Amino acid sequence: MALVTVTDSARDYLAQLIEKQDVEGMGVRIFVTQPGTRNAETCLAYCPPNEIVPTDEQVDLEKFTLYLDHNSVPFLEDAYVDYSKDQMGGQLTIKAPNAKVPQVSDDAPLPDRVNYVLATEINPNLAAHGGDVQLVEIVDESVAVLRFGGGCQGCSAVSLTLKQGVEKTLKEVVPEITEVRDVTDHSYTENAYYQ
C-alpha cells in the first residue's frame, strides 16, 4: 500500500468539508493526473458511494475513508496532505514527491534511476529559471546524454549548470554515471535565462 500521510489538521478540515456535502458515506479520493510525466498533478476529490472504484485502495481515517486511485498508487508513495490555518482561513497542501516519477529501487535499470534524479532533484532547481533537462540515452553503459530545454537552452551559464550541478549530482546519486554529455542546440537563445 502507498504510504500517504494525512495530518490531523487535514483530516479535520476534510471531514468538515465532507459534512457540508450532506451525502451519507462520502469519502475523499486522491489521484495523480498524468502520472509519471513532468505535468503530473496530485488531486483530491469528493468520492460519493456511487463513485467508489473497486480496485482503489481504501484507508480508514476514522472520520472518512480515503480512496487511493489504483493507477496512482506507485506515484503516491510518501505523499503528504496537510492543512494549516492562516489569516485568509487556511491552506490545504498536497505534496507527492513521486508523482512525476515513481520512486525507484537501487537495483532499477540505470535510465530509470537517472530519470528519477532528474525529476526529483535537478529539474525542480532548473524550473526556477524556466528550464529543464531530459535524458536522451545512456551510452557506453555509464555516460548520460542529456538535452536541456526552456530557460536552459542557449543559456550562457549552461556549461556551469551541466558540470557543477547536473553532472555532480548525477555522479553522487547514481555512481555508475561517469560522465554527462549535452546534445542541446544552444544556438537557439530565445528563451535563455542568461543571454
Side-chain angles (χ1 to χ4, degrees):
M1 167 170 330
L3 176 62
V4 177
T5 301
V6 181
T7 64
D8 290 342
S9 60
R11 287 180 198 187
D12 292 345
Y13 176 72
L14 291 169
Q16 289 173 5
L17 293 178
I18 290 168
E19 191 175 309
K20 291 177 184 175
Q21 298 305 303
D22 199 28
V23 174
E24 184 68 33
M26 177 75 81
V28 172
R29 191 162 196 257
I30 186 168
F31 57 96
V32 180
T33 61
Q34 299 183 46
T37 71
R38 63 182 176 172
N39 297 320
E41 290 191 30
T42 307
C43 307
L44 291 174
Y46 292 119
C47 187
N50 63 332
E51 292 181 14
I52 295 171
V53 179
T55 57
D56 287 353
E57 293 186 16
Q58 298 182 21
V59 180
D60 181 9
L61 296 178
E62 295 178 21
K63 298 180 179 183
F64 62 91
T65 301
L66 179 67
Y67 298 93
L68 308 178
D69 171 63
H70 175 73
N71 294 330
S72 300
V73 166
F75 302 93
L76 291 171
E77 189 73 32
D78 298 326
Y80 182 81
V81 182
D82 188 29
Y83 178 77
S84 57
K85 292 183 179 183
D86 60 28
Q87 294 118 346
M88 303 302 285
Q91 177 73 38
L92 185 67
T93 304
I94 309 167
K95 294 182 180 177
N98 299 303
K100 296 182 186 318
V101 179
Q103 193 165 18
V104 296
S105 64
D106 291 340
D107 61 350
L110 186 57
D112 291 352
R113 289 183 286 138
V114 169
N115 278 322
Y116 182 76
V117 174
L118 292 176
T120 60
E121 295 188 35
I122 295 171
N123 279 331
N125 293 323
L126 296 179
H129 293 179
D132 70 324
V133 64
Q134 304 298 319
L135 177 67
V136 175
E137 64 181 334
I138 302 286
V139 296
D140 301 330
E141 298 180 8
S142 65
V143 179
V145 179
L146 306 175
R147 179 171 290 118
F148 285 89
C152 293
Q153 184 176 8
C155 179
S156 62
V158 76
S159 61
L160 180 65
T161 300
L162 178 70
K163 292 296 179 189
Q164 297 300 314
V166 177
E167 184 173 66
K168 181 179 176 194
T169 301
L170 279 175
K171 285 178 168 180
E172 285 174 5
V173 181
V174 186
E176 295 93 327
I177 295 297
T178 59
E179 181 185 346
V180 174
R181 291 186 194 148
D182 180 10
V183 294
T184 310
D185 175 6
H186 289 290
S187 65
Y188 180 79
T189 61
E190 187 171 317
N191 295 319
Y193 190 76
Y194 292 114
Q195 298 264 340

